[in-house]
Amino acid sequence: MSFPKLTESMIRAGATAQSFQRGQAYYHDGAISNTTIQGNVLAGECAGTSAPYYSVHAKLDEGGIASSDCTCPYEFEGYCKHVVALLLTYIHHPKQFAIRAEPADLIADLDRDDLAALLIELMHDRPELSDRIEAALSTPQSKSKSKKTKRKKIDLEVYRRQITGILHSLDGMRMSEAYWQVGGLANELRDVQTSAMKFLDVGDAETALEILLMLADEAGHGIEFIDDSDGELGGFADELGQSLAEAILSIDWSKVAREKLVTRLKKMAAYLDDYGMEGGLELAIAAATTGWADDKSSATPDKLKTRRSRFAAEDDYDEEDEGEEDFDDEWDADDNAGRPYDYGTDLIEAKLNVLDRQGRTDEYLALAKQTQRHLRYALKLCDLDRVPEALKYALKHLASSEEAHQMAERLRSAKHIAESIAIGERGLELSGSKARLGEWLGAIEEAQGRTKQALDAWLAALPENPSLDSYKTIKRLAAARWTKLQPEAMKLIDKFYDKLPLAEVLLFEQEWDRVIDVAERRSVSYQVMETVADAVVTQRPQWVVQMSLKQAERLMIEVKSQNYPIAANWLKKAKKAYKQLGQLPEWQAYLDKTKEKYKRRPALQKQLRQL
């Protein structure tokens, strides 16, 4: 299989400046190991600062990097530093990636009997696979398939065993080892959540709800024996609120059944609250309490096209429930204490998802428009191939650059390039972050021969995500206008909080003295100082000597052995600069004096002997 050509610019476009810089440092330190290619998926392990390693994956397609994931707790925009390091390793050392056959290729030559024998052997060796296979076989694959094939009754205990198996998969590990695997465990639970949503997709909301309730219940109790200091399991429990709300809203409830569900959810929420996982189920409780009667969604008809649920039967009521603890007072008190955000707003999103899933287009559009979900309204018009109407609406109503970017990408994927460009250009005039939109739009504008517009897009992105690559792109696009634009571009880069892009640009322009001034600024990062010192050693060796010795001595004077390798690295730079000056005897004299000065520090002496 041939793989798409990746460039550092593509990685930069998908990561924040900070993540890229840190990932680049990881790459240079050789933090990536056990690299493989399976089909179009890159995989590897990356050493971490707070974990032995993280598992990293990146999926490639014709356009470059399709998606990525990492078991680290990174929750911010773009690729994490570990993904950046993996991609950089692939760009510069592709032969390090061992080629693995795709699963389909591995079993392609097996006949039915051989395949069955292999599967049975694996199930004997790993009994937990039995529950996963049974659950997978009972999970609907698509709407069309579900209509053609009548599924047998679902054994929900299969899912419970699968969930508990996942939660107890770390039991045999040492605590220090298990701690770093909780993120992967949470991802496995998310796979079960995805299976539950497939039942919802084919109209079996009852089964979906039961599986989701199992997940919430078991994940909540899992906190008793899992070290969730990083909040990975708690984060997963929080995510269930939206899925639960959608399942609840997809069922026609009787009054009694609804009250029982609310009581059940409040008990679960109270339990989660005791372990610091408060708030995750409030959206589900809101859906169970108000249903479709919320004033904010009054555009939705009262009569829903849902069948009676097995939960909704009046005779489900058990008189023994009357003796159970009532959580209403406690919950109302929590409500009065104030909420961090508007759960009614999220409930509208859940309702829109239900209407979309059920194909109730007119009701979906009415609710989206009434509640001013302008992006969802415009995107739905695109899905309906009502592109002129979608374009007109989006140009008038979208409120942020981020919304415009989503809309523009949808139009581009539908091959409406001109409309995509129009929305993108409008987005540059709106509030919000413009970095992603500007870089995305700039490439498209240039491909369409619209050089001026491409330049404007890149200039709009520059203040938020400056880099040497974007600077070079702007310089190329500006052509004869560059002399006038360069001071403006430099001013924008200089205003950025991280001075590494500024340093890299000045080095590219061979502005040696100006870049030294940047490296000497107060609060500049060590990465900037190192980058400048490495780059100007042949041009300003005397400065490199002074800077390197200053940094090394600052680190050596403290009795911290972890700093000694860093100090030695600075001394290597000083040695190189001394050599450039033709002053190796002076270097040797300095080194001998330093060894004598710190002769009682064996860890430092070990580093100095290597110089």
Side-chain angles (χ1 to χ4, degrees), residues 590-606:
Y590 172 85
L591 181 60
D592 291 342
K593 182 180 178 180
T594 302
K595 289 179 178 178
E596 177 62 25
K597 181 178 180 180
Y598 297 109
K599 61 184 178 181
R600 297 185 183 277
R601 298 191 193 173
L604 179 56
Q605 289 292 324
K606 179 181 178 181

Side-chain angles (χ1 to χ4, degrees), residues 30 55 163 245-246 303 348 425 465 512 524 529 532 591:
S55 296
I163 294 165
E246 292 180 25
K303 293 184 179 180
I348 293 169
E425 291 177 349
N465 191 30
W512 314 122
V524 75
M529 290 188 286
V532 174
L591 181 60

Side-chain angles (χ1 to χ4, degrees), residues 559-577:
V559 188
K560 295 181 179 179
S561 59
Q562 65 268 30
N563 289 341
Y564 296 158
I566 306 173
N569 189 49
W570 278 109
L571 290 176
K572 289 178 183 177
K573 300 181 194 300
K575 180 181 179 180
K576 189 174 181 179

Side-chain angles (χ1 to χ4, degrees), residues 272-534:
L272 293 173
D273 288 354
D274 290 340
Y275 286 92
M277 296 188 288
E278 62 278 353
L281 297 184
E282 285 199 35
L283 185 60
I285 294 170
T289 303
T290 65
W292 291 88
D294 187 350
D295 290 338
K296 292 184 180 181
S297 59
S298 57
T300 304
D302 293 333
K303 293 184 179 180
L304 305 179
K305 300 175 183 177
T306 54
R307 55 193 175 89
R308 294 290 289 177
S309 164
R310 61 169 173 266
F311 299 124
E314 296 285 350
D315 58 3
D316 280 348
Y317 182 71
D318 187 345
E319 291 183 358
E320 292 180 2
D321 293 341
E322 292 182 349
E324 293 180 348
E325 183 177 357
D326 186 358
F327 287 84
D328 287 345
D329 293 339
E330 177 185 352
W331 191 266
D332 292 340
D334 288 344
D335 289 346
N336 293 333
R339 290 169 173 169
Y341 61 93
D342 184 357
Y343 288 91
T345 298
D346 284 346
L347 192 57
I348 293 169
E349 289 296 308
K351 291 177 179 180
L352 286 170
N353 290 342
V354 172
L355 293 173
D356 191 29
R357 185 178 290 110
Q358 295 179 354
R360 295 154 61 187
T361 303
D362 291 342
E363 296 164 69
Y364 177 100
L365 290 173
L367 179 58
K369 192 171 186 178
Q370 180 186 357
T371 56
Q372 299 183 22
R373 302 305 166 97
H374 299 308
L375 177 61
R376 294 200 67 161
Y377 185 88
L379 290 174
K380 174 54 72 174
L381 291 177
C382 286
D383 293 341
L384 298 171
D385 203 25
R386 293 159 60 178
V387 175
E389 186 181 351
L391 178 63
K392 181 179 179 180
Y393 187 88
L395 287 172
K396 181 178 180 180
H397 292 286
L398 295 188
S400 70
S401 299
E402 294 90 346
E403 287 185 346
H405 189 187
Q406 291 183 56
M407 182 69 183
E409 284 193 323
R410 178 69 64 85
L411 287 165
R412 182 192 179 189
S413 67
K415 303 188 184 307
H416 296 287
I417 301 299
E419 292 82 356
S420 174
I421 290 174
I423 291 294
E425 291 177 349
R426 171 60 178 154
L428 294 181
E429 301 172 356
L430 300 175
S431 62
S433 174
K434 297 175 177 59
R436 293 290 183 86
L437 173 61
E439 294 174 356
W440 177 85
L441 180 62
I444 297 175
E445 298 272 27
E446 185 176 2
Q448 294 289 307
R450 298 161 58 88
T451 304
K452 180 182 180 300
Q453 292 84 351
L455 178 61
D456 291 340
W458 279 102
L459 284 171
L462 187 65
E464 297 174 34
N465 191 30
S467 68
L468 178 57
D469 285 344
S470 58
Y471 177 85
K472 289 179 179 178
T473 300
I474 292 170
K475 182 176 182 178
R476 173 175 53 79
L477 293 171
R481 296 176 56 196
W482 179 239
T483 302
K484 182 179 179 180
L485 278 178
Q486 198 221 19
E488 177 186 347
M490 292 300 299
K491 186 180 297 184
L492 292 173
I493 297 172
D494 196 6
K495 287 182 178 179
F496 193 61
Y497 72 94
D498 185 353
K499 299 308 175 186
L500 183 61
L502 176 62
E504 290 177 336
V505 167
L506 289 173
L507 289 171
F508 169 72
E509 295 291 4
Q510 299 185 2
E511 295 277 359
W512 314 122
D513 294 328
R514 287 182 64 187
V515 78
I516 285 173
D517 288 341
V518 171
E520 290 180 339
R521 292 182 188 179
R522 177 180 289 183
S523 76
V524 75
S525 70
Y526 294 125
Q527 188 177 6
V528 172
M529 290 188 286
E530 288 181 324
T531 299
V532 174
D534 288 336

Side-chain angles (χ1 to χ4, degrees), residues 236-252:
F236 167 73
D238 288 345
E239 295 167 15
L240 287 173
Q242 179 87 17
S243 297
L244 280 164
E246 292 180 25
I248 292 166
L249 291 167
S250 301
I251 297 172
D252 186 15

